[in-house]
Amino acid sequence: MVDLSKYETIFTRESRKYFCELDTLLAAAEGNPEDRDIWREIQGKVHSIKGMATALGYRTAGDLSCGIENWCREFQQRRPGPEAVQRLQDGLDVLKGITAAKNAVDKSGLAERFRDVLALFSAPPETTDTTREEDSLPPQSANASVDSINQVRVDYGLIEELVGLSQEILSLEKMLPSNSRKQLPAPARNWVSHYASLLKVLYFKLMNLRLVSVGDFACMFSRLIRDQAIEYGKAVTFEVLGEDIQADIALLDRLREPMVHLIRNAVAHGIEPAEKRVLAGKDPRGRLFLEAVRRRDTLLITLGDDGRGIDRVAVIDYLRRVRGLEPAQIEAMPDRELLSTICCSGYSTVSKPTAIAGQGIGMDVVVRSVESLGGSLFIQSDPGKGARFTIELPVTLSFLYAVTFKLGDFTLSIPTSSVDSVEKLKSQPSCEPPCSYLDLRAVLGVEAVSGPSYMLKFRGGGAAASNGDFIPVVIDTDSIVNKTLVMIPAGELLSKAGVFSGVGVGEDGTVSVILDVEALNRRSGFPSSGASRRSG
Amino acid sequence: MKEIFAFLASGHMVGVEASDVYRVVDNCEITPVPLMPPFYVGIVYYRGELFDVLDAGSVLYSTRPRGFQGNRRIVLLKWKGRSLALIPDAVKGLLQYAASGECDETIQLIHPESIRERALELYG
């Protein structure tokens, strides 16, 4: 007897991914129902679900997905009727419920809906009676193969647990007294060394699992956007830019709620109804986009729309009415400050709140959530052209190459991308003005150390650096290496120092603080300040 | 009855709700950080998370940091998505107190959020 339970678990997890992708694809199909490629892609994903369901003997799920797949095949040849996407969404909702209940329709609470949708999808779909001009589809192969399962989904908590356990095992090696290791016979010493090396590789691989793509993150909102658009009688397309950028799952998870608020506001208040958009010379469908950009040590996530923009008249009215500001004061207010008024607790321009907008909460919640992550929210708005809400987050979990060195008691790192060169010096440098260098010990308040001196040239000095685009920095250290680090955002207290961009964890478990070159430059006042600068 | 986790800090007996204590760890390497105030001992990386490590006595009672040598017990606190670590003078362990908040007068009950706010205030 074959034990199918583990395959059932894989199927349940795997199908979740397909359903999420189908939400996005259906939203795209709604905006462009004649796009044959979209229907082909939808059919492919439903086909995969059907294949897995059939292989597991999930007959009800198999039958329903078969009916849905047939509709999608039909839509590649004939234009779908106006209700097609909604019907498909209903069908997929039921299919999702059934697969989550492992085909137990009665237990899923969906028995009645299942019968209705199965009957619906057993019949041909409503189409506009036009055959597409493109070539008709080849007949479906009778022995079409079932896609193989090559990915599984696991709970984030499990990954965290595995990372934690591997880290603890790594630290056990460190606790081994060095003299006891020496007493081991050579083969045992080699075994310990090899074991520890493999464990470090395992640890890094596990850390990699914490990264998810922005595309997967954005996928979560496709359905919400579609539902909101229907609720407000608007047509909205959703585009994702920078979808391959990866970020720490914990960070993205904490951005979920702020993004929901921003999306709700954009659909409810930002994007105009189709008729108004047409009058304004715009596409009747509103455009919502989520863009991710990695800039230096920050991740920028922007949610933008091409709607009416923020209602400045309402903002000004609020400032006068509630804050008691005079017109001249408002006039003098920088645009950024004016727009940030919408983030005040209690700010609302809606006289009659609905369930999803105008409750006077939302933007202040967004700001608090972003700030709790050490980030900032920036708002831009062009009247009639749209609004952009950019969340700037400090370095998120990522991997980077860094030059790591000891300076006194401290272990410090600088991203290798910020270092132009490293030169070992034979003696303390001296050079003629205007040549000068930054003494890192003085900047960081480290007591004099006696190690070999190195001259590092930091990139990023820009106009402030006296020596072209580089800041020459001298350090005394016994140890300087280039290595891979897992980078973690600095906490509140560490951020207050103003010169650290994060914390790095090396393969050997070594923790170092990562210096922000630009902040270091600002703090030191290099090259004008003499306090931490030495000239020869 | 509720449980509190009690420890000594600069001669004072301090208690935090046991549910806010994530772990008490020994032999955990603390990474010192330059430019930080005296109460800030360093950072600890534990199970994929970073903790700012503070000298409990120094941050709570503004006493001079003791300077730590050898094995130190570190109390890792986690509450409402935040985290912090303290090094007490000594760990007393778990104690019971009435849910009404009545507690032995010699123990000062403190919420981790207050410790965090105090640290931020001291840092300026």
Side-chain angles (χ1 to χ4, degrees):
Chain A
M1 186 76 179
V2 179
D3 177 14
L4 289 178
S5 59
K6 68 178 177 183
Y7 298 106
E8 285 177 335
T9 307
I10 291 170
F11 171 55
T12 307
R13 287 172 181 164
E14 189 68 5
S15 56
R16 266 190 232 140
K17 175 182 150 231
Y18 282 121
F19 285 121
C20 180
E21 291 166 351
L22 282 166
D23 281 342
T24 307
L25 284 167
L26 274 182
E30 193 161 46
N32 199 358
E34 296 188 10
D35 190 330
R36 186 170 155 168
D37 289 337
I38 294 175
W39 288 114
R40 188 178 292 125
E41 204 175 336
I42 293 173
Q43 186 210 333
K45 295 195 187 300
V46 177
H47 178 76
S48 297
I49 294 171
K50 182 185 79 174
M52 289 187 289
T54 308
L56 285 168
Y58 286 5
R59 188 164 171 188
T60 43
D63 288 348
L64 180 54
S65 43
C66 181
I68 295 173
E69 189 189 354
N70 286 340
W71 274 38
C72 298
R73 286 180 64 78
E74 187 71 16
F75 296 151
Q76 290 168 58
Q77 293 177 294
R78 292 175 182 277
R79 291 185 172 84
E83 299 293 322
V85 172
Q86 185 57 54
R87 299 274 179 272
L88 282 166
Q89 192 74 69
D90 293 342
L92 287 171
D93 281 347
V94 174
L95 187 58
K96 197 189 294 184
I98 293 172
T99 52
K102 295 184 178 174
N103 207 45
V105 180
D106 293 338
K107 290 180 188 168
S108 69
L110 294 165
E112 198 173 329
R113 279 185 72 194
F114 170 71
R115 278 192 294 276
D116 291 345
V117 292
L118 186 63
L120 178 73
F121 288 105
S122 297
E126 183 190 339
T127 57
T128 57
D129 201 17
T130 315
T131 305
R132 293 180 191 273
E133 289 173 2
E134 299 91 338
D135 296 338
S136 58
L137 289 176
Q140 188 179 12
S141 168
N143 55 356
S145 64
V146 175
D147 292 347
S148 61
I149 298 172
N150 57 9
Q151 287 183 326
V152 293
R153 295 201 148 194
V154 294
D155 285 341
Y156 166 59
L158 177 62
I159 295 171
E160 286 288 86
E161 201 177 328
L162 292 173
V163 169
L165 287 171
S166 63
Q167 191 205 357
E168 277 189 47
I169 303 171
L170 266 176
S171 65
L172 282 178
E173 189 219 352
K174 284 188 169 183
M175 287 166 65
L176 195 67
S178 55
N179 55 351
S180 67
R181 182 179 284 204
K182 285 175 191 161
Q183 288 163 5
L184 289 172
R189 268 205 312 272
N190 288 342
W191 186 91
V192 171
S193 174
H194 188 56
Y195 178 81
S197 303
L198 288 175
L199 199 59
K200 285 165 192 166
V201 175
L202 174 68
Y203 174 69
F204 253 54
K205 296 266 183 201
L206 285 170
M207 287 299 280
N208 235 328
L209 293 179
R210 284 178 55 154
L211 297 174
V212 293
S213 74
V214 169
D216 282 346
F217 174 65
C219 185
M220 293 194 296
F221 305 111
S222 303
R223 180 67 187 273
L224 171 75
I225 292 165
R226 183 178 172 276
D227 289 349
Q228 295 284 290
I230 290 170
E231 171 90 18
Y232 281 90
K234 297 175 182 177
V236 181
T237 62
F238 182 45
E239 197 178 338
V240 184
L241 307 163
E243 59 191 288
D244 292 333
I245 289 176
Q246 293 197 311
D248 184 10
I249 188 171
L251 182 88
L252 291 181
D253 186 53
R254 289 172 70 183
L255 276 185
R256 210 162 25 91
E257 283 303 315
M259 290 305 294
V260 167
H261 282 298
L262 291 177
I263 287 169
R264 284 177 166 176
N265 283 341
V267 177
H269 306 301
I271 291 170
E272 316 91 324
E275 59 272 20
K276 284 196 177 174
R277 292 181 61 85
V278 172
L279 283 174
K282 294 180 179 178
D283 188 316
R285 289 173 303 175
R287 177 175 176 259
L288 200 60
F289 65 91
L290 189 150
E291 181 180 23
V293 176
R294 195 179 280 283
R295 187 179 299 159
R296 291 179 183 273
D297 300 328
T298 58
L299 176 69
L300 302 174
I301 295 184
T302 299
L303 186 86
D305 66 67
D306 68 346
R308 55 169 71 92
I310 292 167
D311 187 347
R312 285 167 190 267
V313 175
V315 172
I316 291 168
D317 179 58
Y318 175 86
L319 289 170
R320 292 177 65 177
R321 199 168 31 82
V322 181
R323 295 261 194 91
L325 296 187
E326 296 297 327
Q329 290 175 293
I330 299 169
E331 184 84 14
M333 208 180 248
D335 201 46
R336 189 169 153 177
E337 194 181 331
L338 183 91
L339 293 174
S340 69
T341 303
I342 67 167
C343 300
C344 296
S345 175
Y347 176 85
S348 178
T349 58
V350 177
S351 54
K352 191 179 174 186
T354 68
I356 54 174
Q359 298 278 13
I361 55 166
M363 286 308 296
D364 58 324
V365 174
V366 171
V367 171
R368 277 206 302 275
S369 301
V370 171
E371 285 177 349
S372 76
L373 293 169
S376 310
L377 178 73
F378 300 98
I379 305 170
Q380 292 169 288
S381 174
D382 280 333
K385 290 184 178 172
R388 293 166 65 97
F389 297 84
T390 300
I391 297 171
E392 182 177 3
L393 297 159
V395 58
T396 181
L397 179 75
S398 58
F399 289 81
L400 88 159
Y401 288 101
V403 176
T404 300
F405 52 91
K406 288 278 287 184
L407 193 64
D409 293 334
F410 307 109
T411 307
L412 306 163
S413 292
I414 302 224
T416 307
S417 59
S418 297
V419 179
D420 183 68
S421 63
V422 179
E423 183 192 347
K424 189 171 181 180
L425 304 172
K426 289 177 182 165
S427 60
Q428 279 288 328
S430 62
C431 57
E432 295 300 320
C435 176
S436 58
Y437 63 88
L438 201 66
D439 185 343
L440 205 55
R441 291 173 309 185
V443 179
L444 300 179
V446 180
E447 286 178 16
V449 282
S450 55
S453 292
Y454 290 84
M455 169 79 79
L456 279 72
K457 283 187 176 171
F458 290 177
R459 288 196 186 101
S466 64
N467 199 353
D469 281 329
F470 306 115
I471 310 170
V473 176
V474 168
I475 57 168
D476 298 339
T477 182
D478 289 324
S479 151
I480 183 164
V481 290
N482 192 24
K483 59 189 201 179
T484 315
L485 300 177
V486 173
M487 195 170 179
I488 301 168
E492 271 179 311
L493 285 165
L494 216 52
S495 300
K496 273 187 163 268
V499 293
F500 306 121
S501 58
V503 173
V505 183
E507 286 181 354
D508 56 358
T510 310
V511 177
S512 58
V513 279
I514 300 168
L515 292 166
D516 179 331
V517 171
E518 286 195 1
L520 198 66
N521 186 30
R522 282 196 301 274
R523 184 184 177 100
S524 66
F526 183 85
S528 56
S529 162
S532 53
R533 193 191 81 184
R534 290 182 179 181
S535 297
Chain B
M1 297 293 279
K2 276 191 176 180
E3 266 190 329
I4 60 164
F5 177 85
F7 56 88
L8 273 176
S10 291
H12 301 265
M13 183 78 96
V14 182
V16 291
E17 277 204 29
S19 56
D20 293 330
V21 178
Y22 173 55
R23 291 276 195 289
V24 179
V25 293
D26 297 310
N27 288 316
C28 207
E29 197 173 332
I30 301 175
T31 304
V33 182
L35 299 176
M36 299 304 282
F39 66 80
Y40 190 93
V41 185
I43 44 179
V44 151
Y45 181 65
Y46 184 79
R47 291 196 165 205
E49 284 181 85
L50 281 179
F51 292 82
D52 292 307
V53 185
L54 313 181
D55 178 333
S58 180
V59 73
L60 292 172
Y61 302 104
S62 302
T63 51
R64 286 185 63 185
R66 291 181 303 137
F68 298 98
Q69 287 187 336
N71 186 21
R72 297 154 291 191
R73 295 193 113 180
I74 306 172
V75 182
L76 306 180
L77 303 169
K78 281 177 85 169
W79 75 100
K80 291 188 176 173
R82 296 190 188 280
S83 59
L84 201 63
L86 292 175
I87 302 186
D89 299 346
V91 168
K92 287 295 173 189
L94 292 173
L95 302 172
Q96 303 287 326
Y97 79 105
S100 61
E102 286 175 26
C103 190
D104 185 336
E105 285 179 3
T106 57
I107 298 179
Q108 186 192 353
L109 265 183
I110 193 158
H111 192 276
E113 184 63 25
S114 307
I115 305 173
R116 171 185 159 267
E117 284 170 1
R118 168 102 177 127
L120 288 169
E121 188 189 320
L122 283 175
Y123 200 170

